[in-house]
């Protein structure tokens, strides 16, 4: 039984190696290449460790970190669907839900249930922990765009108004202090173009 | 004061983007390229989330995860010093200590102190949390070598005895159940050559 549990856990840990090959739209800060979803997840977890005090409400940082570590694992099956792309929200949610079932389903049942629940909580963005995790997931690529002369905004011809509407509500809801910084950055960025 | 705190935190989070460009010896499981230290840190944190029940003693999984998220950040300044290389332990420790001071020193003082203490605890490998974190850091590349037909062992002409002595004590000390699996894998691997 013990062996079976461990075998399933190791099969899952091998499977998720593939997240290192899912390429996102955002570049590294030195612009040498695009970021992958595994290193993005590491960076976001570090954002949570460092910035937890700026959450809108008191959060359980350990839960936020776990959420961010596993939030993109579904991309192994469905890829990274970029914020400035045209995929329908419903289609994306359906695809990701199937992916979560398959991938977390590799784990022993109790762990599968825990991971699925944590991933769903993140997706629903209703709890304080999930709102903060979502805010960081939106904040990090904004920071990257600011420090790479526009990054995906320049590539996709995104306007100041679109940045405010696509990033603002989510960051504001989970981390207003971070949104205050973003507002200054974004305004200055678009003024300078 | 608040702004100053946040500015330091964001400067640190930008600086550690460079961990994505530190290349390790281990390949990805699909052997498409070598792994970098940021995605390695993500994967190890996931190992801790999934495998915490196999720790030798009861561990605080949240602390182990934080330790693993930041354990390689010093490599931004000193690079990844591979287990099968010839760098002296003392020289490596000295270089990494200076790097930890510079990198964690970018953070506000209380956070710098916390991160330094956690990193030193990991390096010293005396507490249950650190022993388990160290065991995972040794276990993951062993798993990669097993599932990539020898990986860095084949490249460096490493023998069964060297694998047992370089990986065994650390994995055994923190996670004996994982070492039991390793012993079977390693024995089979070297018999099959």
């Amino acid at each position: 039984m013990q062996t079976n549990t461990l075998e399933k856990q190791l099969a899952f840990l091998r499977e998720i190696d593939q997240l290192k090959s899912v390429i996102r739209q955002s570049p590294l800060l030195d612009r040498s290449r695009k970021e992958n979803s595994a290193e993005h997840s590491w960076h976001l977890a570090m954002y949570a460790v460092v910035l937890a005090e700026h959450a809108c409400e008191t959060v359980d940082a350990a839960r936020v970190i776990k959420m961010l570590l596993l939030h993109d694992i579904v991309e192994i099956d469905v890829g990274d669907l970029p914020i400035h792309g045209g995929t329908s929200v419903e289609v994306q949610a359906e695809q990701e839900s199937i992916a979560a079932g398959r991938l977390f389903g590799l784990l022993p049942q109790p762990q599968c249930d825990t991971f699925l629940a944590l991933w769903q909580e993140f997706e629903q963005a209703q709890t304080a922990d999930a709102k903060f995790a979502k805010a960081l997931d939106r904040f990090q690529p904004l920071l990257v765009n600011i420090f790479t002369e526009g990054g995906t905004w320049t590539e996709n011809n995104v306007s100041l108004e679109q940045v405010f509407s696509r990033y603002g509500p989510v960051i504001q809801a989970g981390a207003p202090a971070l949104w205050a910084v973003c507002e200054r950055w974004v305004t200055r960025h678009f003024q300078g173009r």
Side-chain angles (χ1 to χ4, degrees), chain A residues 49-68:
Chain A
V49 173
V50 171
L51 300 175
E53 69 189 278
H54 305 292
C56 186
E57 303 164 66
T58 304
V59 292
D60 179 341
R63 290 189 81 244
V64 175
I65 291 164
K66 275 192 205 175
M67 246 180 227
L68 289 168

PDB file of all heavy atoms in Angstrom, chain A residues 49-68:
ATOM      1  N   VAL A  49       6.136  34.540  -0.870  1.00  0.00           N
ATOM      2  CA  VAL A  49       6.974  34.523   0.337  1.00  0.00           C
ATOM      3  C   VAL A  49       7.345  35.961   0.731  1.00  0.00           C
ATOM      4  O   VAL A  49       7.247  36.350   1.889  1.00  0.00           O
ATOM      5  CB  VAL A  49       8.272  33.697   0.108  1.00  0.00           C
ATOM      6  CG1 VAL A  49       9.213  33.815   1.302  1.00  0.00           C
ATOM      7  CG2 VAL A  49       7.953  32.234  -0.172  1.00  0.00           C
ATOM      8  N   VAL A  50       7.735  36.749  -0.250  1.00  0.00           N
ATOM      9  CA  VAL A  50       8.287  38.079   0.020  1.00  0.00           C
ATOM     10  C   VAL A  50       7.195  39.125   0.274  1.00  0.00           C
ATOM     11  O   VAL A  50       7.358  40.015   1.112  1.00  0.00           O
ATOM     12  CB  VAL A  50       9.203  38.523  -1.158  1.00  0.00           C
ATOM     13  CG1 VAL A  50       9.617  39.977  -1.021  1.00  0.00           C
ATOM     14  CG2 VAL A  50      10.436  37.616  -1.241  1.00  0.00           C
ATOM     15  N   LEU A  51       6.068  39.007  -0.442  1.00  0.00           N
ATOM     16  CA  LEU A  51       5.084  40.104  -0.455  1.00  0.00           C
ATOM     17  C   LEU A  51       3.813  39.841   0.357  1.00  0.00           C
ATOM     18  O   LEU A  51       2.869  40.640   0.278  1.00  0.00           O
ATOM     19  CB  LEU A  51       4.693  40.429  -1.910  1.00  0.00           C
ATOM     20  CG  LEU A  51       5.827  40.888  -2.840  1.00  0.00           C
ATOM     21  CD1 LEU A  51       5.299  41.055  -4.263  1.00  0.00           C
ATOM     22  CD2 LEU A  51       6.454  42.195  -2.348  1.00  0.00           C
ATOM     23  N   ALA A  52       3.786  38.767   1.138  1.00  0.00           N
ATOM     24  CA  ALA A  52       2.547  38.373   1.833  1.00  0.00           C
ATOM     25  C   ALA A  52       1.953  39.509   2.670  1.00  0.00           C
ATOM     26  O   ALA A  52       0.733  39.631   2.790  1.00  0.00           O
ATOM     27  CB  ALA A  52       2.804  37.140   2.699  1.00  0.00           C
ATOM     28  N   GLU A  53       2.831  40.365   3.222  1.00  0.00           N
ATOM     29  CA  GLU A  53       2.322  41.452   4.078  1.00  0.00           C
ATOM     30  C   GLU A  53       1.476  42.467   3.303  1.00  0.00           C
ATOM     31  O   GLU A  53       0.763  43.268   3.913  1.00  0.00           O
ATOM     32  CB  GLU A  53       3.488  42.176   4.758  1.00  0.00           C
ATOM     33  CG  GLU A  53       4.347  42.974   3.795  1.00  0.00           C
ATOM     34  CD  GLU A  53       5.635  43.513   4.428  1.00  0.00           C
ATOM     35  OE1 GLU A  53       5.586  44.555   5.091  1.00  0.00           O
ATOM     36  OE2 GLU A  53       6.702  42.873   4.246  1.00  0.00           O
ATOM     37  N   HIS A  54       1.571  42.450   1.979  1.00  0.00           N
ATOM     38  CA  HIS A  54       0.817  43.418   1.173  1.00  0.00           C
ATOM     39  C   HIS A  54      -0.523  42.870   0.681  1.00  0.00           C
ATOM     40  O   HIS A  54      -1.182  43.505  -0.139  1.00  0.00           O
ATOM     41  CB  HIS A  54       1.660  43.874  -0.021  1.00  0.00           C
ATOM     42  CG  HIS A  54       2.988  44.433   0.375  1.00  0.00           C
ATOM     43  ND1 HIS A  54       3.115  45.628   1.051  1.00  0.00           N
ATOM     44  CD2 HIS A  54       4.250  43.947   0.237  1.00  0.00           C
ATOM     45  CE1 HIS A  54       4.403  45.850   1.287  1.00  0.00           C
ATOM     46  NE2 HIS A  54       5.110  44.851   0.808  1.00  0.00           N
ATOM     47  N   ALA A  55      -0.905  41.688   1.165  1.00  0.00           N
ATOM     48  CA  ALA A  55      -2.214  41.139   0.786  1.00  0.00           C
ATOM     49  C   ALA A  55      -3.324  42.016   1.360  1.00  0.00           C
ATOM     50  O   ALA A  55      -3.170  42.627   2.419  1.00  0.00           O
ATOM     51  CB  ALA A  55      -2.351  39.714   1.302  1.00  0.00           C
ATOM     52  N   CYS A  56      -4.423  42.069   0.632  1.00  0.00           N
ATOM     53  CA  CYS A  56      -5.578  42.887   1.017  1.00  0.00           C
ATOM     54  C   CYS A  56      -6.106  42.478   2.393  1.00  0.00           C
ATOM     55  O   CYS A  56      -6.359  43.316   3.243  1.00  0.00           O
ATOM     56  CB  CYS A  56      -6.658  42.712  -0.037  1.00  0.00           C
ATOM     57  SG  CYS A  56      -8.067  43.769   0.183  1.00  0.00           S
ATOM     58  N   GLU A  57      -6.293  41.189   2.580  1.00  0.00           N
ATOM     59  CA  GLU A  57      -6.707  40.650   3.881  1.00  0.00           C
ATOM     60  C   GLU A  57      -5.575  39.756   4.389  1.00  0.00           C
ATOM     61  O   GLU A  57      -4.669  39.425   3.632  1.00  0.00           O
ATOM     62  CB  GLU A  57      -7.964  39.786   3.721  1.00  0.00           C
ATOM     63  CG  GLU A  57      -9.142  40.513   3.093  1.00  0.00           C
ATOM     64  CD  GLU A  57     -10.206  39.526   2.600  1.00  0.00           C
ATOM     65  OE1 GLU A  57     -10.820  38.850   3.433  1.00  0.00           O
ATOM     66  OE2 GLU A  57     -10.407  39.440   1.376  1.00  0.00           O
ATOM     67  N   THR A  58      -5.654  39.348   5.654  1.00  0.00           N
ATOM     68  CA  THR A  58      -4.653  38.418   6.170  1.00  0.00           C
ATOM     69  C   THR A  58      -4.747  37.098   5.408  1.00  0.00           C
ATOM     70  O   THR A  58      -5.837  36.564   5.227  1.00  0.00           O
ATOM     71  CB  THR A  58      -4.895  38.147   7.669  1.00  0.00           C
ATOM     72  OG1 THR A  58      -4.903  39.408   8.334  1.00  0.00           O
ATOM     73  CG2 THR A  58      -3.804  37.261   8.250  1.00  0.00           C
ATOM     74  N   VAL A  59      -3.610  36.617   4.940  1.00  0.00           N
ATOM     75  CA  VAL A  59      -3.611  35.354   4.190  1.00  0.00           C
ATOM     76  C   VAL A  59      -2.730  34.320   4.884  1.00  0.00           C
ATOM     77  O   VAL A  59      -1.869  34.660   5.682  1.00  0.00           O
ATOM     78  CB  VAL A  59      -3.098  35.542   2.736  1.00  0.00           C
ATOM     79  CG1 VAL A  59      -4.078  36.371   1.918  1.00  0.00           C
ATOM     80  CG2 VAL A  59      -1.694  36.147   2.703  1.00  0.00           C
ATOM     81  N   ASP A  60      -3.000  33.051   4.558  1.00  0.00           N
ATOM     82  CA  ASP A  60      -2.153  31.948   4.999  1.00  0.00           C
ATOM     83  C   ASP A  60      -1.097  31.771   3.902  1.00  0.00           C
ATOM     84  O   ASP A  60      -1.357  31.150   2.864  1.00  0.00           O
ATOM     85  CB  ASP A  60      -3.024  30.696   5.160  1.00  0.00           C
ATOM     86  CG  ASP A  60      -2.217  29.476   5.592  1.00  0.00           C
ATOM     87  OD1 ASP A  60      -0.981  29.473   5.439  1.00  0.00           O
ATOM     88  OD2 ASP A  60      -2.847  28.515   6.083  1.00  0.00           O
ATOM     89  N   ALA A  61       0.081  32.351   4.130  1.00  0.00           N
ATOM     90  CA  ALA A  61       1.108  32.381   3.075  1.00  0.00           C
ATOM     91  C   ALA A  61       1.454  30.978   2.583  1.00  0.00           C
ATOM     92  O   ALA A  61       1.696  30.774   1.385  1.00  0.00           O
ATOM     93  CB  ALA A  61       2.362  33.099   3.572  1.00  0.00           C
ATOM     94  N   ALA A  62       1.458  30.009   3.479  1.00  0.00           N
ATOM     95  CA  ALA A  62       1.810  28.640   3.077  1.00  0.00           C
ATOM     96  C   ALA A  62       0.797  28.089   2.063  1.00  0.00           C
ATOM     97  O   ALA A  62       1.178  27.412   1.099  1.00  0.00           O
ATOM     98  CB  ALA A  62       1.881  27.728   4.299  1.00  0.00           C
ATOM     99  N   ARG A  63      -0.486  28.399   2.261  1.00  0.00           N
ATOM    100  CA  ARG A  63      -1.507  27.946   1.299  1.00  0.00           C
ATOM    101  C   ARG A  63      -1.366  28.692  -0.024  1.00  0.00           C
ATOM    102  O   ARG A  63      -1.526  28.106  -1.097  1.00  0.00           O
ATOM    103  CB  ARG A  63      -2.930  28.169   1.846  1.00  0.00           C
ATOM    104  CG  ARG A  63      -3.303  27.259   3.001  1.00  0.00           C
ATOM    105  CD  ARG A  63      -4.787  27.378   3.339  1.00  0.00           C
ATOM    106  NE  ARG A  63      -5.612  26.595   2.455  1.00  0.00           N
ATOM    107  CZ  ARG A  63      -6.519  27.067   1.614  1.00  0.00           C
ATOM    108  NH1 ARG A  63      -6.731  28.369   1.546  1.00  0.00           N
ATOM    109  NH2 ARG A  63      -7.225  26.273   0.854  1.00  0.00           N
ATOM    110  N   VAL A  64      -1.090  29.984   0.047  1.00  0.00           N
ATOM    111  CA  VAL A  64      -0.910  30.771  -1.183  1.00  0.00           C
ATOM    112  C   VAL A  64       0.264  30.209  -1.990  1.00  0.00           C
ATOM    113  O   VAL A  64       0.185  30.051  -3.216  1.00  0.00           O
ATOM    114  CB  VAL A  64      -0.679  32.263  -0.864  1.00  0.00           C
ATOM    115  CG1 VAL A  64      -0.358  33.052  -2.131  1.00  0.00           C
ATOM    116  CG2 VAL A  64      -1.894  32.859  -0.151  1.00  0.00           C
ATOM    117  N   ILE A  65       1.345  29.881  -1.299  1.00  0.00           N
ATOM    118  CA  ILE A  65       2.529  29.333  -1.971  1.00  0.00           C
ATOM    119  C   ILE A  65       2.182  28.009  -2.663  1.00  0.00           C
ATOM    120  O   ILE A  65       2.522  27.798  -3.831  1.00  0.00           O
ATOM    121  CB  ILE A  65       3.690  29.155  -0.960  1.00  0.00           C
ATOM    122  CG1 ILE A  65       4.194  30.526  -0.510  1.00  0.00           C
ATOM    123  CG2 ILE A  65       4.818  28.318  -1.544  1.00  0.00           C
ATOM    124  CD1 ILE A  65       5.047  30.503   0.751  1.00  0.00           C
ATOM    125  N   LYS A  66       1.486  27.129  -1.965  1.00  0.00           N
ATOM    126  CA  LYS A  66       1.102  25.846  -2.580  1.00  0.00           C
ATOM    127  C   LYS A  66       0.213  26.072  -3.802  1.00  0.00           C
ATOM    128  O   LYS A  66       0.389  25.438  -4.846  1.00  0.00           O
ATOM    129  CB  LYS A  66       0.339  24.980  -1.562  1.00  0.00           C
ATOM    130  CG  LYS A  66       1.242  24.181  -0.659  1.00  0.00           C
ATOM    131  CD  LYS A  66       0.438  23.145   0.115  1.00  0.00           C
ATOM    132  CE  LYS A  66       1.145  22.784   1.398  1.00  0.00           C
ATOM    133  NZ  LYS A  66       0.368  21.884   2.253  1.00  0.00           N
ATOM    134  N   MET A  67      -0.749  26.972  -3.657  1.00  0.00           N
ATOM    135  CA  MET A  67      -1.634  27.298  -4.785  1.00  0.00           C
ATOM    136  C   MET A  67      -0.830  27.734  -5.999  1.00  0.00           C
ATOM    137  O   MET A  67      -1.092  27.306  -7.121  1.00  0.00           O
ATOM    138  CB  MET A  67      -2.515  28.491  -4.386  1.00  0.00           C
ATOM    139  CG  MET A  67      -3.959  28.197  -4.262  1.00  0.00           C
ATOM    140  SD  MET A  67      -4.810  29.734  -3.794  1.00  0.00           S
ATOM    141  CE  MET A  67      -5.819  29.096  -2.485  1.00  0.00           C
ATOM    142  N   LEU A  68       0.158  28.604  -5.771  1.00  0.00           N
ATOM    143  CA  LEU A  68       0.940  29.138  -6.891  1.00  0.00           C
ATOM    144  C   LEU A  68       1.884  28.087  -7.472  1.00  0.00           C
ATOM    145  O   LEU A  68       2.155  28.085  -8.677  1.00  0.00           O
ATOM    146  CB  LEU A  68       1.709  30.381  -6.442  1.00  0.00           C
ATOM    147  CG  LEU A  68       0.796  31.591  -6.192  1.00  0.00           C
ATOM    148  CD1 LEU A  68       1.546  32.702  -5.471  1.00  0.00           C
ATOM    149  CD2 LEU A  68       0.218  32.118  -7.509  1.00  0.00           C
TER     150      LEU A  68
END
